[in-house]
Amino acid sequence: MPTLSQFLFGAIVLGALAAVPGIALAPWWRARRRRALAGRPFPAAWRRVLARQVPIVGRLPAPLQRELERRMQVFIAEKPFVGCRGLVVTEAMRVVVAAQACLLLLGRPHWHHAGLRQVLLYPGAFLVDRVHAEPGGVRRGERQALAGESWSQGQVVLSWDDVLAGAADPADGRNVVLHEFAHQLDQADGRSNGAPPLPRGMDGRRWARVLQQAFDALRAQLGRGEAAPLDPYAATSPAEFFAVATEAFFEQGPRMAAAQPALYAELAAFYGVDPASW
């Protein structure tokens, strides 16, 4: 069973990577270019796409909507999108993905998904081959259909059908873009372990303790056959717990704040926003 150290490892290095990725990973001219991109008028066509396909944006207070638009313009200009299995990536697709990915950045001025190199879009679920170790050292191959995947080398792979489905209902706690881009934040230090580099000023030990307790409580509830506050997939590993909790934090903020106030408070401190108030 995962231990406290799995959540703690790397988390106490406050701000070393996450606090200033825009400064640490880009020269001064990139920061200047980003300011220029963010200052451009937001295309009216993009606003229409958001109104139709990303209803969570309508929940945001007006200042956060403007900030989201600024972040989206930088994201779309910087991050390549690659269509897979014959998919032709349209401007509207970029807008839908960017809006959800940039929700994670709203409360952190210097965050830009700096490690992301490209977004790969499939029309629907994509197949991957996995090798699982079984008791006795036996290794078994298995083919899985996935809605999304995040690679530590800087790629996020998404099923367009699932991107649309996740965006369509902003209150169900299921959003593949939020999930996979949470993994990108977790992997900023090269590891996927539920212990992302924390912003300056956060208490790494408290973060580790709260997430470990919530993770253990979820596994215990599921083991007793009880209804759980998060999708059961969160119980598979600390990394998946962080990603699933991120989905619930942004889409079900009031519910999480009431049912898991300590977990909500840590995620609010990490992301710098308060979705329960939207």
Side-chain angles (χ1 to χ4, degrees), residues 17-26 30 34 71 74-75 78-80 101 105 110-120 149-157 180-191 197:
L17 293 173
V20 287
I23 295 173
L25 299 181
R30 179 172 292 180
R34 284 171 173 167
R71 295 310 192 96
V74 174
F75 185 97
E78 289 189 347
K79 308 304 182 184
L105 309 178
H110 300 298
W111 287 9
H112 291 280
H113 290 307
L116 179 70
R117 295 172 54 198
Q118 58 186 189
V119 178
L120 281 63
E149 194 166 45
S150 174
W151 301 344
S152 59
Q153 296 90 344
Q155 289 82 21
V156 168
V157 190
E180 300 307 336
F181 278 88
H183 280 314
Q184 279 289 299
L185 296 178
D186 187 13
Q187 293 163 346
D189 59 358
R191 300 174 178 85

Side-chain angles (χ1 to χ4, degrees), residues 184-275:
Q184 279 289 299
L185 296 178
D186 187 13
Q187 293 163 346
D189 59 358
R191 300 174 178 85
S192 183
N193 57 4
L198 299 181
R200 189 179 305 277
M202 282 193 68
D203 184 334
R205 293 185 181 278
R206 183 175 62 199
W207 166 274
R209 182 178 67 253
V210 169
L211 267 70
Q212 182 69 55
Q213 289 173 348
F215 180 76
D216 291 343
L218 176 66
R219 290 171 64 99
Q221 287 171 302
L222 293 172
R224 295 191 295 267
E226 299 174 359
L230 295 175
D231 187 290
Y233 189 57
T236 58
S237 72
E240 297 302 342
F241 181 86
F242 171 67
V244 172
T246 293
E247 295 177 78
F249 173 75
F250 280 97
E251 291 205 338
Q252 300 177 323
R255 175 180 171 184
M256 178 183 279
Q260 298 174 287
L263 176 61
Y264 181 87
E266 289 304 304
L267 291 172
F270 178 77
Y271 285 111
V273 291
D274 181 18

